[in-house]
Amino acid sequence: MKLDADKEVIVTLGSKEGLANLAQAITAPGDVVLAPNPSYPIHTFGFIIAGAAIRSIPAAPGEEFFERLTNAMRFTVPRPKVLVVGYPSNPTAYVADLPFYERLVAFAREHELIVISDLAYAEIYFRDTPTPSILQVEGAKEVAVEFTSMSKTYSMAGWRMGFAVGNERLIAALARVKSYLDYGAFTPIQAAAVAALNGPQDIIEANRKLYRKRRDVLVESFGRAGWNIPVPEASMFAWAPIPERFHNLGAMEFSKRLLTEGHVAVAPGVGFGEEGEGYVRIALVENEQRLRQAARSVKKMLAGS
């Protein structure tokens, strides 16, 4: 797919800023937006701040996703205007394949639905093939815009450099709002981003191997400690169901107990939406030794409960 750099690409101060400002650009109070639950908070709150009402759809791609999507379009008044998706997902680490996006684009075109895709974790995948982009689908630019970020691919978290690409009208709307709100990224960060994009790309594969190894250590060591964690296929997170004996605590209280008794910090799933209750998000941001240390602490906590 070819993009017109002047009309179909815009630089953002990280994908989060771009998502929030696009919400302001295309949303009016009373609009209905479809967003996954659980999801990264800006996927919903960017639109809530703009005055929209949120209707939840499943975070996992599959038949239930399209069943709920169809019902939302059929029975919601006013009809939903925007759909937000993000794969690989934060916090769930769910991934979508190209046939999913093909079906989604066809649905969006039929129902005149704007699709916003968050592809921040595009390069952190653990199978042999890369995670797809919605813009690989023919006709996707008619309905979709996609965000990505330098943060994960090039380990530039906090530097605030991202991109939005896709539908010309949506990119123009985002550019108009941004023209009132910011003057662009700090020049040295722009220079660093250019150097990262034009320089050697072996760091991407090195980072991918790093996260894959951490994932394997996490799943193996926590499993031996008595906490079975589903193996994430992508992203830098594991979406872990609370151990059965702690189900009565809920995600928030379990996370507090894990912190105070096991000295391990996780994010309670309920912080990403009510459908995240019963889960916690574990980030693969610590080295292998620290992950094994955390597993030992978890084992002690589980044994003493």
Side-chain angles (χ1 to χ4, degrees), residues 198-261:
N198 291 332
Q201 299 298 297
D202 53 342
I203 185 62
I204 299 176
E205 177 62 24
N207 282 342
R208 191 179 301 128
K209 290 180 178 178
L210 176 71
Y211 284 117
R212 183 189 293 118
K213 182 61 175 176
R214 288 178 180 176
R215 178 204 66 172
D216 293 344
V217 169
L218 173 77
V219 171
E220 182 269 334
S221 61
F222 275 55
R224 285 193 291 105
W227 188 359
N228 293 321
I229 296 175
V231 181
E233 297 180 24
S235 85
M236 53 188 289
F237 305 108
W239 188 238
I242 296 173
E244 188 172 348
R245 72 185 73 175
F246 295 102
H247 276 185
N248 63 310
L249 294 179
M252 185 67 72
E253 290 304 316
F254 172 74
S255 298
K256 291 179 181 177
R257 185 164 174 179
L258 191 60
L259 181 62
T260 56
E261 297 182 16

Side-chain angles (χ1 to χ4, degrees), residues 8-142:
E8 297 174 335
V9 180
I10 188 170
V11 178
T12 62
L13 305 180
S15 58
K16 190 174 185 179
E17 172 269 322
L19 283 158
N21 281 329
L22 181 59
Q24 294 286 338
I26 66 176
T27 308
D31 284 343
V32 176
V33 173
L34 305 174
N37 189 345
S39 72
Y40 189 57
I42 198 63
H43 294 165
T44 55
F45 283 98
F47 291 96
I48 290 171
I49 293 169
I54 302 296
R55 177 159 180 168
S56 295
I57 56 173
E63 283 304 318
E64 184 184 359
F65 178 96
F66 285 102
E67 289 173 7
R68 294 267 295 276
L69 187 58
T70 299
N71 287 338
M73 297 304 297
R74 182 178 299 165
F75 300 117
T76 304
V77 179
R79 281 169 60 86
K81 179 179 180 180
V82 179
L83 167 67
V84 183
V85 294
Y87 302 105
S89 167
N90 177 6
T92 63
Y94 295 148
V95 295
D97 57 17
L98 194 57
F100 169 85
Y101 285 124
E102 291 171 344
R103 186 175 176 183
L104 183 60
V105 168
F107 184 96
R109 294 174 70 181
E110 178 184 353
H111 294 277
E112 299 181 344
L113 186 65
I114 295 170
V115 180
I116 299 175
S117 171
D118 186 352
L119 196 64
Y121 299 91
E123 295 293 348
I124 305 178
Y125 57 89
F126 306 132
R127 291 187 173 182
D128 294 333
T129 55
T131 51
S133 159
I134 193 172
L135 296 177
Q136 291 175 237
V137 179
E138 185 176 355
K141 284 197 296 182
E142 295 178 21

